[in-house]
Amino acid sequence: MTAANPVRVLNVLGTTNLGGAESRVMELYRALDRDKVQFDFLVHTDREGQYSEEIRSLGGRVYNVPRFRGYNMLSYKKALKSFFQEHNEFAAVHGHMTSTAAIYLPIAKRAGIPLTIAHARSAGVDRGVRGLVTKALRYPLKYRADYCFACSAEAAWAVYGRRWIAAGKVWTIPNAIDTRRFAYDPAVRRQVREELGLGARFVIGHVGRFGFMKNHSYLVDIFAELCRMRDDAALVLIGKGELEEDIRAKVERLGLADKVLFLGNRFDVERYYQAFDYFVFPSTFEGLPGSVVEAQASGLSCLVSDQVTRETELTELVTYKSIGEPAANWAAEIMRNAKAALQRSDMQAAIAGRDFDVREQAVKMEAFYVTGKNPPGAVTRVPDKGE
């Protein structure tokens, strides 16, 4: 390993678009000493992703294999075997896409890759047949990776199971962020609110992909109830996804179109946290959502689903509430805390002090990738009875 020849690590993802796992990997990539460790990416699409250009500018390479669709198992394996026969120069393969990691990690190992890593980033699966297939594909994963990582204890339980955790074979790696990037800035707040025409409105914010997991329909219900309590409320939604049009239609149906902004994906999402007054996150399941960490780093009060791991509670800014309750109860909770929520402060030190600063994590990950030993996280704890 030299500046001219760093250790290369292949990250396996679905895409290089602006998603949760992708954003966390990119945060780490930017913070690494790339003279020591360089990232490359294997994605399951032939389309350019939003991060592709930045990856190449940092010295990384982006490779492609076909998306796994179940019926193409043989051709999927053939494509992976061909890829790893040609590209076995990696020191490690880090699989963030766990749905098929039990397939591609063993193929990489047989091709001569010294270190294989599975990284669980979600504590649930989609509904229906797709979810059942994902569970079946994940089942053997713990036996087929050299290291099993998870972003939270709940993600570890969901993907690897209690026995593997009890055996001390799963490491929890925090979803670290660049805390400086998200620090509260009143000047940026004023600028963004002016750009969006928000004025003095009370702004509810959400950052997340429009999919079943994020529960946008319930979020709109909460916002509709809030609008009955105060007429100056606004909702800002950042993200894209397959359910976006459904949510747009619901907003129109409820007569809220003039109060809701759909901003799509944003590279500069940190600016928009500044403009929010309250962060609301009613997910049906999660691993450890980076957006809740980012919101806290921005000094935002956060009302979060009880289905989200308590490991997101890095500060006193987080309150959990059941998504089984009427949406009006969530709106009432926001109203109770609305005045206090406007008092923002710098939370960088609090977040960094909980091992969520990416610059500190980068140093530890560099050592792990180079040596293949001593993962930087904690061994996942088995919950006590009744937890």
Side-chain angles (χ1 to χ4, degrees):
M1 177 193 67
T2 66
N5 189 28
V7 163
R8 302 198 77 93
V9 175
L10 183 71
N11 291 274
V12 184
L13 290 156
T15 71
T16 53
N17 285 328
L18 285 162
E22 293 86 350
S23 295
R24 299 287 72 79
V25 175
M26 289 302 295
E27 288 271 36
L28 177 61
Y29 188 19
R30 297 181 193 112
L32 288 172
D33 181 345
R34 291 183 296 279
D35 285 340
K36 296 179 180 177
V37 177
Q38 180 57 254
F39 276 0
D40 295 310
F41 293 78
L42 180 65
V43 296
H44 291 67
T45 178
D46 57 3
R47 296 180 180 179
E48 282 285 288
Q50 286 132 344
Y51 283 126
S52 295
E53 184 177 346
E54 182 183 1
I55 288 167
R56 295 187 183 102
S57 74
L58 294 173
R61 301 173 296 205
V62 180
Y63 302 101
N64 313 89
V65 290
R67 181 180 174 185
F68 178 72
R69 298 181 183 277
Y71 61 81
N72 67 336
M73 175 70 83
L74 292 177
S75 61
Y76 180 65
K77 285 185 174 181
K78 182 178 179 181
L80 289 166
K81 288 176 182 177
S82 176
F83 172 79
F84 284 112
Q85 284 171 0
E86 184 177 352
H87 298 282
N88 60 1
E89 70 273 20
F90 304 109
V93 175
H94 195 146
H96 308 274
M97 186 176 173
T98 55
S99 57
T100 59
I103 301 171
Y104 62 75
L105 290 181
I107 291 173
K109 193 73 174 181
R110 288 193 293 271
I113 308 298
L115 181 66
T116 58
I117 307 150
H119 200 142
R121 293 188 174 274
S122 177
V125 296
D126 288 334
R127 294 172 292 184
V129 174
R130 183 174 178 177
L132 293 174
V133 171
T134 298
K135 285 184 178 181
L137 289 169
R138 281 178 175 172
Y139 178 77
L141 176 56
K142 55 184 171 287
Y143 305 109
R144 297 180 180 178
D146 294 324
Y147 284 96
C148 295
F149 289 176
C151 64
S152 67
E154 290 191 17
W157 305 334
V159 175
Y160 306 116
R162 185 184 180 93
R163 289 184 182 178
W164 214 246
I165 295 168
K169 295 182 178 182
V170 183
W171 282 262
T172 303
I173 311 293
N175 274 345
I177 66 169
D178 183 349
T179 55
R180 295 177 301 187
R181 179 183 166 204
F182 294 93
Y184 178 55
D185 187 332
V188 174
R189 173 181 170 83
R190 289 190 295 271
Q191 182 183 45
V192 176
R193 288 176 74 95
E194 182 177 347
E195 290 172 3
L196 298 178
L198 293 170
R201 298 174 79 173
F202 185 72
V203 180
I204 303 302
H206 183 273
V207 177
R209 181 175 173 273
F210 283 83
F212 165 70
M213 176 173 67
K214 300 298 183 183
N215 207 9
H216 282 86
S217 182
Y218 186 62
L219 175 60
V220 172
D221 290 338
I222 294 166
F223 180 67
E225 295 292 342
L226 183 65
C227 288
R228 294 188 176 96
M229 300 175 187
R230 58 187 302 166
D231 59 10
D232 66 338
L235 176 62
V236 176
L237 302 174
I238 295 177
K240 300 289 288 183
E242 67 274 8
L243 295 182
E244 181 179 350
E245 290 307 313
D246 291 346
I247 300 304
R248 284 181 179 271
K250 180 169 185 173
V251 167
E252 290 279 355
R253 194 164 59 248
L254 294 175
L256 300 173
D258 62 334
K259 295 176 179 288
V260 182
L261 296 179
F262 291 82
L263 300 186
N265 287 325
R266 298 281 172 161
F267 278 107
D268 55 349
V269 67
E270 68 276 7
R271 297 180 69 243
Y272 296 90
Y273 285 113
Q274 312 300 325
F276 300 163
D277 294 311
Y278 221 113
F279 191 74
V280 182
F281 200 78
S283 290
T284 55
F285 63 87
E286 290 283 350
L288 194 153
S291 55
V292 179
V293 178
E294 294 168 351
Q296 290 175 82
S298 301
L300 275 170
S301 292
C302 304
L303 186 57
V304 179
S305 164
D306 63 347
Q307 300 303 301
V308 174
T309 175
R310 282 351 188 228
E311 291 164 81
T312 55
E313 190 178 5
L314 306 179
T315 70
E316 294 180 354
L317 293 169
V318 176
T319 301
Y320 294 95
K321 199 162 188 65
S322 172
I323 55 175
E325 294 185 33
N329 290 8
W330 282 62
E333 179 72 21
I334 294 168
M335 286 295 294
R336 274 194 294 273
N337 296 303
K339 187 174 181 180
L342 298 177
Q343 308 302 312
R344 304 270 285 273
S345 57
D346 188 342
M347 302 301 291
Q348 287 187 78
I351 302 297
R354 299 291 297 274
D355 295 329
F356 276 77
D357 187 279
V358 75
R359 294 181 299 281
E360 295 179 7
Q361 187 179 98
V363 174
K364 298 173 183 177
M365 287 300 294
E366 286 165 12
F368 169 67
Y369 286 136
V370 170
T371 65
K373 299 176 182 177
N374 301 318
V379 176
T380 305
R381 184 179 64 84
V382 178
D384 296 328
K385 187 176 181 180
E387 270 191 76

